[in-house]
Amino acid sequence: MQQLIPQHMQGRIFSLTSTISMLLMPLGTIVFGFLFDHLSALPIFAITGILLIIFTTSVVLTLSRQKLLNQPKNSSQPQLPQGISD
């Protein structure tokens, strides 16, 4: 994210993502508290894991289709000193 977001906007963006994460924590506590009160842990973890894999895969596929995972044109790759290779 740091390579995609302009430097003068990074503070605002990172504080926004942090705020959204903190606002969603009580919701997760309520939802999973209810689920753990009424179901056993194994199905909850299994279903949550499967949903997380599906969500992550769909986000990565969407980003790759839109070519948002490519290196931005305005960023520069760090140059290694001569004699040092990858």
Side-chain angles (χ1 to χ4, degrees):
M1 278 180 45
Q2 292 176 346
Q3 293 178 353
L4 299 175
I5 299 170
Q7 192 171 13
H8 69 280
M9 296 291 291
Q10 286 182 3
R12 294 176 187 164
I13 299 296
F14 292 132
S15 66
L16 180 65
T17 57
S18 177
T19 301
I20 291 171
S21 297
M22 286 186 216
L23 287 173
L24 291 177
M25 281 184 208
L27 178 65
T29 303
I30 291 169
V31 169
F32 281 98
F34 176 79
L35 289 174
F36 279 109
D37 283 343
H38 297 302
L39 300 170
S40 64
L42 184 61
I44 295 171
F45 287 133
I47 292 170
T48 304
I50 291 168
L51 290 175
L52 185 60
I53 290 170
I54 291 170
F55 176 75
T56 304
T57 305
S58 65
V59 167
V60 169
L61 288 174
T62 301
L63 291 175
S64 65
R65 282 188 196 135
Q66 295 178 359
K67 298 186 172 137
L68 295 176
L69 294 177
N70 296 344
Q71 185 75 18
K73 294 177 186 174
N74 61 354
S75 72
S76 61
Q77 290 288 341
Q79 298 295 323
L80 296 174
Q82 288 183 346
I84 298 177
S85 61
D86 290 349

